[in-house]
Amino acid sequence: MKILKIDHLGIAVNSIDARKNFWTDGLGLSLEATETVEEQKVTTAFLPVGESEVELLESTAPDGPIAKYIEKKGEGIQHVAFQVENIEDALAELKEKGIQLIDQTPRKGAGGAKIAFLHPKATAGVLVELCER
Ligand code: ZN
């Protein structure tokens, strides 16, 4: 498995509109188009930072994973995403190493990426996403 870089940090917010000013006006990052991924009940907004990005995540439904996360832990960093060369190979390798996965096979993420989450039980509480672009 080859990790190429930290692809993005996923940050859970109640409202992208209400929270984006800190990132744009405050830090001077630019917000690229937002995208709703219906299957994950989430709207995402990507703000490039050098070779990585900040991903703001807003739930589209009260029972979505981001809404549940905020209910439990409040707004804040929700996951860290590593870009890998080949996500199927990476998942197979992790399985072989006995690392618990949430996604056994990749699913579709924002921007046409293939993504998969590892189980926080396997990572001491850090939700780790792998993505391939
Ligand atoms: Zn992500």
Side-chain angles (χ1 to χ4, degrees):
M1 167 169 70
K2 188 171 180 197
I3 291 182
L4 302 173
K5 63 176 185 179
I6 290 181
D7 189 84
H8 62 270
L9 293 175
I11 297 174
V13 295
N14 281 318
S15 157
I16 289 172
D17 260 356
R19 295 296 186 212
K20 68 182 179 193
N21 279 359
F22 164 71
W23 303 94
T24 56
D25 296 349
L27 296 185
L29 302 175
S30 55
L31 192 154
E32 294 193 341
T34 59
E35 180 182 342
T36 297
V37 183
E38 282 303 344
E39 334 162 5
Q40 290 176 48
K41 299 181 180 174
V42 72
T43 297
T44 66
F46 281 95
L47 300 99
V49 184
E51 297 212 322
S52 302
E53 295 183 293
V54 165
E55 175 187 36
L56 300 180
L57 301 153
E58 174 186 332
S59 191
T60 59
D63 64 339
I66 295 302
K68 285 187 195 156
Y69 179 88
I70 290 175
E71 209 178 282
K72 253 196 250 167
K73 300 194 172 175
E75 293 177 292
I77 292 186
Q78 195 252 352
H79 67 270
V80 56
F82 295 107
Q83 190 181 120
V84 294
E85 219 165 49
N86 182 309
I87 196 165
E88 283 86 2
D89 285 358
L91 291 174
E93 185 180 327
L94 291 169
K95 252 183 255 180
E96 220 175 87
K97 289 177 177 169
I99 291 169
Q100 201 180 344
L101 307 174
I102 291 177
D103 299 304
Q104 305 301 316
T105 54
R107 52 173 138 147
K108 185 183 148 291
K114 287 197 274 185
I115 67 169
F117 287 95
L118 314 190
H119 203 287
K121 272 184 197 158
T123 61
V126 179
L127 182 58
V128 172
E129 173 189 335
L130 301 180
C131 72
E132 181 189 329
R133 293 179 186 278

